[in-house]
Amino acid sequence: MATYVNNLRLKEITTGDEDGTWGTSTNTNLELITDGFSYGTKQMSSDANQTFTMPDATADATRGFYLKITSAGSLTSTREVTLGPNTVSKVWMIENATTGGQSITIKQGSGAGITIPTTQKVMVITDGAGSGAAVINANPTETGGTVTSVGGTGTVNGISLSGTVTTSGNLTLGGTLSGVNLTSQVTGVLPTANGGTGSNQATFVNLASNVTGTLPLANGGTNGTTAATARASLSANALPILKGGNYTAAVGEFVTVTAGSITITLPASPSAGSTVTIKDGTGAAATTTFTVARNGSNIASSATDLIFDKNFAEITMSYINSTIGWSV
């Protein structure tokens, strides 16, 4: 009696059987062998686990090497597809072509299975161990190594690439980057943290046109936008400025008066440590006095203006606090 115990379920003819029909059975076996290297499609009939069994000596897509699994409707969760019989040891390339965006798990017995995500293809081996049969992932495993060259399109920190680089995560480039022509390959402003100047100027940073606002002392500036405030911030002696008419002094200024009967007004909102220097420049103050107006702050603890009447006298006024005001 013929048996079907082999891995492709072919008819195995015993001695003396198939008299007159041996050729037909043999040809069928040969056709089924070729089916084992072919392409086949099996459809899941419902949104449920399903078993596809390779029949004895009969053509069936389950026997195909490349087995595409589809579904009659959309799957709502991961479903199991069992390949039978559980005694068949075979290699399959299986494609999950089901609808619904779900994975399928390929099983043979109670052993391990292989889950195939939607639209993916996996090469599997069934071990044919009977009721406890397992399915093994036969896809080649990448064991590491070194990539010496990668082609790609786009830019990596200003470096143009050609070709295609594909990654599902972060692409990390190790080693040292060298040989990059910053003049021709990098556009825009290179930050100082990356060794640049923080400017798009080719040869130098033009402070007059490229820096606005107040440059702090920590960055080599004066912490001021005018000469007077800069000198006050740096605690430097200001250069004398000549004034022959009414004038409001700024913190840090050195005002030399060249005419009498005028008013030099102190800064309106001084801070502790603010200074103003005032001098009679012509030696005529005793004859023709001029006024130093307090501008809301006390002068030597008094809410009165200062009358300057000493020839060639020079005084430096320092603001102490709201009680003392300007100390003379």
Side-chain angles (χ1 to χ4, degrees), residues 167-204:
T167 176
S168 59
N170 294 326
L171 181 62
T172 302
L173 302 179
T176 302
L177 183 64
S178 61
V180 179
N181 187 323
L182 296 181
T183 302
S184 61
Q185 301 299 324
V186 177
T187 59
V189 176
L190 187 64
T192 54
N194 296 100
T197 62
S199 170
N200 58 9
Q201 297 292 313
T203 57
F204 65 94

Side-chain angles (χ1 to χ4, degrees), residues 70-301:
T70 63
S71 60
S74 294
L75 304 185
T76 58
S77 64
T78 299
R79 300 301 182 190
E80 290 185 0
V81 175
T82 300
L83 298 177
N86 57 23
T87 56
V88 169
S89 177
K90 185 179 181 301
V91 178
W92 275 276
M93 174 69 78
I94 300 179
E95 176 185 354
N96 178 359
T98 60
T99 57
Q102 302 295 327
S103 298
I104 57 174
T105 299
I106 306 302
K107 300 280 289 183
Q108 188 181 43
S110 61
I114 297 298
T115 298
I116 305 176
T118 181
T119 73
Q120 298 298 303
K121 308 174 186 68
V122 175
M123 182 177 287
V124 304
I125 299 171
T126 54
D127 65 11
S131 60
V135 180
I136 303 165
N137 189 329
N139 280 352
T141 301
E142 195 279 320
T143 58
T146 301
V147 178
T148 57
S149 62
V150 178
T153 57
T155 59
V156 177
N157 292 336
I159 303 172
S160 296
L161 303 175
S162 60
T164 300
V165 172
T166 302
T167 176
S168 59
N170 294 326
L171 181 62
T172 302
L173 302 179
T176 302
L177 183 64
S178 61
V180 179
N181 187 323
L182 296 181
T183 302
S184 61
Q185 301 299 324
V186 177
T187 59
V189 176
L190 187 64
T192 54
N194 296 100
T197 62
S199 170
N200 58 9
Q201 297 292 313
T203 57
F204 65 94
V205 177
N206 187 325
L207 296 180
S209 62
N210 290 307
V211 176
T212 59
T214 301
L215 189 63
L217 295 171
N219 296 99
T222 62
N223 208 35
T225 55
T226 66
T229 56
R231 288 183 179 280
S233 177
L234 296 171
S235 299
N237 292 324
L239 295 175
I241 55 174
L242 304 181
K243 293 296 178 182
N246 296 336
Y247 177 67
T248 298
V251 171
E253 285 189 331
F254 185 156
V255 181
T256 298
V257 178
T258 60
S261 301
I262 66 172
T263 297
I264 303 300
T265 303
L266 294 172
S269 300
S271 301
S274 296
T275 62
V276 175
T277 300
I278 300 176
K279 177 180 177 60
D280 171 31
T282 62
T287 303
T288 308
T289 63
F290 61 89
T291 300
V292 178
R294 64 191 187 90
N295 201 7
S297 299
N298 288 340
I299 296 179
S301 300

